[in-house]
Amino acid sequence: MNLDLQSLFDAARAARALAYAPYSHFTVGAALRDAEGTVHAGCNVENAAYPVGTCAEAGAIAAMVAGGGRTIREMLVMGAGPGLVTPCGACRQRIREFAAPETVIHVADGDGVLARFTLGALLPESFGPENLVRHA
Ligand code: THU
Protein backbone atom coordinates (compact mmCIF):
# COMPACT_ATOMS: atom_id res chain seq x y z
CA MET A 1 0.00 0.00 0.00
CA ASN A 2 1.50 3.39 -0.93
CA LEU A 3 1.78 6.10 1.72
CA ASP A 4 -1.15 8.15 0.40
CA LEU A 5 -3.45 5.17 0.48
CA GLN A 6 -2.14 4.13 3.89
CA SER A 7 -3.03 7.55 5.28
CA LEU A 8 -6.60 7.20 4.00
CA PHE A 9 -6.79 3.69 5.42
CA ASP A 10 -5.54 4.81 8.82
CA ALA A 11 -7.89 7.81 8.94
CA ALA A 12 -10.91 5.67 7.99
CA ARG A 13 -9.98 3.05 10.57
CA ALA A 14 -9.68 5.69 13.31
CA ALA A 15 -13.03 7.23 12.38
CA ARG A 16 -14.70 3.83 12.17
CA ALA A 17 -13.55 3.05 15.70
CA LEU A 18 -15.63 6.04 16.82
CA ALA A 19 -18.73 5.20 14.78
CA TYR A 20 -22.10 5.48 16.51
CA ALA A 21 -23.98 2.41 15.33
CA PRO A 22 -26.00 1.07 18.27
CA TYR A 23 -28.83 -0.18 16.03
CA SER A 24 -27.12 -1.94 13.13
CA HIS A 25 -23.81 -2.60 14.90
CA PHE A 26 -22.34 -2.11 11.45
CA THR A 27 -19.57 0.43 11.85
CA VAL A 28 -18.22 2.29 8.84
CA GLY A 29 -15.38 4.74 8.41
CA ALA A 30 -14.62 6.88 5.39
CA ALA A 31 -11.67 9.09 4.54
CA LEU A 32 -10.96 11.34 1.60
CA ARG A 33 -8.10 13.45 0.35
CA ASP A 34 -8.96 16.90 -0.93
CA ALA A 35 -7.20 18.99 -3.57
CA GLU A 36 -4.81 20.45 -1.00
CA GLY A 37 -3.82 16.97 0.14
CA THR A 38 -5.65 17.24 3.43
CA VAL A 39 -7.33 14.08 4.68
CA HIS A 40 -10.85 14.31 6.15
CA ALA A 41 -12.66 11.43 7.81
CA GLY A 42 -16.12 10.51 9.00
CA CYS A 43 -18.09 7.66 10.51
CA ASN A 44 -21.70 6.59 10.46
CA VAL A 45 -23.92 8.22 13.06
CA GLU A 46 -27.17 6.36 13.61
CA ASN A 47 -30.31 7.65 15.26
CA ALA A 48 -33.24 6.21 17.20
CA ALA A 49 -35.37 7.60 14.37
CA TYR A 50 -33.64 5.28 11.92
CA PRO A 51 -33.84 7.27 8.65
CA VAL A 52 -32.14 10.23 10.29
CA GLY A 53 -28.86 8.34 10.63
CA THR A 54 -26.00 9.42 8.42
CA CYS A 55 -23.36 7.46 6.53
CA ALA A 56 -19.62 7.66 7.06
CA GLU A 57 -19.17 9.18 3.60
CA ALA A 58 -21.53 12.03 4.44
CA GLY A 59 -19.50 12.77 7.56
CA ALA A 60 -16.21 12.82 5.66
CA ILE A 61 -17.67 15.14 3.03
CA ALA A 62 -19.09 17.47 5.68
CA ALA A 63 -15.67 17.59 7.36
CA MET A 64 -14.03 18.47 4.06
CA VAL A 65 -16.49 21.25 3.28
CA ALA A 66 -16.25 22.68 6.78
CA GLY A 67 -12.47 22.65 6.39
CA GLY A 68 -12.68 24.64 3.16
CA GLY A 69 -12.17 21.75 0.75
CA ARG A 70 -14.28 21.48 -2.37
CA THR A 71 -12.73 18.60 -4.34
CA ILE A 72 -12.42 14.89 -3.53
CA ARG A 73 -9.25 13.51 -5.10
CA GLU A 74 -9.42 10.00 -3.64
CA MET A 75 -11.62 8.24 -1.10
CA LEU A 76 -11.64 5.07 0.98
CA VAL A 77 -14.62 3.43 2.68
CA MET A 78 -14.08 0.80 5.37
CA GLY A 79 -16.60 -1.63 6.80
CA ALA A 80 -16.92 -5.25 7.80
CA GLY A 81 -16.54 -7.89 5.13
CA PRO A 82 -16.93 -10.32 3.57
CA GLY A 83 -19.15 -8.24 1.29
CA LEU A 84 -17.70 -5.08 -0.21
CA VAL A 85 -18.88 -1.96 1.62
CA THR A 86 -19.36 0.22 -1.40
CA PRO A 87 -21.03 3.60 -0.89
CA CYS A 88 -24.83 3.49 -0.83
CA GLY A 89 -26.72 5.07 -3.68
CA ALA A 90 -27.33 8.34 -1.87
CA CYS A 91 -23.66 8.64 -0.96
CA ARG A 92 -22.60 8.01 -4.55
CA GLN A 93 -24.54 11.14 -5.41
CA ARG A 94 -23.04 13.02 -2.45
CA ILE A 95 -19.56 12.08 -3.65
CA ARG A 96 -20.51 13.08 -7.20
CA GLU A 97 -20.98 16.67 -6.10
CA PHE A 98 -17.27 17.01 -5.32
CA ALA A 99 -15.56 14.38 -7.48
CA ALA A 100 -14.92 13.53 -11.10
CA PRO A 101 -15.92 10.34 -12.92
CA GLU A 102 -12.24 9.28 -12.75
CA THR A 103 -11.99 9.74 -8.98
CA VAL A 104 -11.00 6.48 -7.31
CA ILE A 105 -12.94 5.05 -4.36
CA HIS A 106 -11.20 2.28 -2.47
CA VAL A 107 -13.21 -0.27 -0.50
CA ALA A 108 -11.60 -1.85 2.53
CA ASP A 109 -12.25 -3.96 5.55
CA GLY A 110 -10.25 -3.68 8.75
CA ASP A 111 -7.45 -5.78 7.33
CA GLY A 112 -6.79 -4.07 4.04
CA VAL A 113 -8.05 -2.70 0.74
CA LEU A 114 -10.30 -5.14 -1.11
CA ALA A 115 -11.27 -3.32 -4.29
CA ARG A 116 -11.19 -0.02 -6.11
CA PHE A 117 -13.77 1.62 -8.32
CA THR A 118 -14.04 4.88 -10.17
CA LEU A 119 -16.98 7.08 -9.28
CA GLY A 120 -18.04 6.81 -12.91
CA ALA A 121 -18.32 3.05 -12.55
CA LEU A 122 -20.37 3.36 -9.37
CA LEU A 123 -22.62 6.13 -10.67
CA PRO A 124 -22.70 6.16 -14.48
CA GLU A 125 -24.43 8.87 -16.52
CA SER A 126 -24.83 10.93 -13.38
CA PHE A 127 -26.41 14.30 -12.80
CA GLY A 128 -24.11 16.87 -11.24
CA PRO A 129 -23.33 20.56 -10.75
CA GLU A 130 -22.49 21.07 -14.43
CA ASN A 131 -26.07 20.32 -15.33
CA LEU A 132 -27.19 23.42 -13.45
CA VAL A 133 -24.59 25.89 -14.70
CA ARG A 134 -26.90 27.58 -17.18
CA HIS A 135 -29.78 27.68 -14.76
CA ALA A 136 -28.20 29.44 -11.77
N1 THU B 1 -23.29 2.78 6.00
C1 THU B 1 -22.33 3.73 5.79
O1 THU B 1 -22.01 4.52 6.68
N2 THU B 1 -21.73 3.76 4.58
C2 THU B 1 -21.92 2.85 3.59
O2 THU B 1 -21.28 2.95 2.55
C3 THU B 1 -22.88 1.77 3.78
C4 THU B 1 -23.72 1.85 5.00
C5 THU B 1 -23.91 2.71 7.34
C6 THU B 1 -25.31 3.22 7.43
C7 THU B 1 -25.80 2.49 8.66
O3 THU B 1 -25.43 3.21 9.83
C8 THU B 1 -25.04 1.18 8.64
O4 THU B 1 -23.94 1.38 7.77
C9 THU B 1 -25.86 -0.01 8.15
O5 THU B 1 -26.45 0.26 6.93
Side-chain angles (χ1 to χ4, degrees):
M1 205 185 302
N2 68 45
L3 284 179
D4 279 353
L5 186 54
Q6 185 73 54
S7 67
L8 286 182
F9 186 87
D10 291 346
R13 182 167 52 189
R16 184 185 175 206
L18 299 172
Y20 179 74
Y23 307 108
S24 73
H25 304 289
F26 191 84
T27 59
V28 182
L32 64 86
R33 182 187 328 288
D34 70 18
E36 279 68 48
T38 305
V39 172
H40 305 275
C43 60
N44 53 333
V45 181
E46 297 185 347
N47 193 283
Y50 288 7
V52 179
T54 51
C55 287
E57 295 90 327
I61 290 168
M64 178 188 80
V65 172
R70 291 292 185 271
T71 304
I72 299 171
R73 290 281 189 237
E74 189 177 16
M75 191 164 193
L76 183 145
V77 182
M78 180 189 294
L84 293 176
V85 182
T86 48
C88 76
C91 283
R92 294 176 194 203
Q93 186 66 36
R94 290 190 176 100
I95 296 165
R96 168 67 179 88
E97 186 73 16
F98 301 103
E102 302 73 34
T103 303
V104 172
I105 300 167
H106 305 272
V107 176
D109 65 12
D111 296 324
V113 177
L114 302 172
R116 50 178 278 160
F117 302 92
T118 63
L119 176 62
L122 294 176
L123 193 68
E125 307 299 338
S126 62
F127 183 90
E130 307 78 25
N131 294 92
L132 298 179
V133 164
R134 294 185 178 280
H135 298 270

